[in-house]
Amino acid sequence: MADALTVDIVGPDRVLWSGAAKSVSVPTVEGEIGLLAGHVPVLSVLRPGSVKVVASADGGHTLDITGGFVSFDHNVVTIVADVAEPAEK
């Protein structure tokens, strides 16, 4: 899929989620950022909030985080979270 993002969400001790996605939304200290394929490169500090992944294969995922950082370049999203837990539904 040409418009897919490669997403890796990691915590201090493990990979929390990894896979292909259509979009990712992250809470940065400068505001909410939505990432789609072809977005300009981003490196930003994350604030507490929810990371939302719209996955290509299995629907969506939401993780609550306490902070960390996000890196985006060449359709690859890497999120390093200080602490992350699946969001309550």
Side-chain angles (χ1 to χ4, degrees):
M1 173 188 265
D3 292 332
L5 302 173
T6 300
V7 181
D8 293 307
I9 303 174
V10 299
D13 59 347
R14 62 190 159 96
V15 174
L16 301 165
W17 190 84
S18 183
K22 296 177 184 176
S23 68
V24 177
S25 177
V26 293
T28 74
V29 294
E30 298 170 341
E32 194 81 13
I33 294 179
L35 300 169
L36 298 169
H39 195 286
V40 297
V42 171
L43 179 60
S44 188
V45 175
L46 298 175
R47 64 173 168 75
S50 295
V51 173
K52 298 171 188 85
V53 178
V54 177
S56 301
D58 58 357
H61 301 278
T62 302
L63 295 169
D64 290 333
I65 63 166
T66 60
F69 72 88
V70 60
S71 170
F72 178 83
D73 196 15
H74 294 95
N75 294 339
V76 176
V77 180
T78 304
I79 297 170
V80 178
D82 296 336
V83 176
E85 298 178 359
E88 293 184 21
K89 295 191 180 205

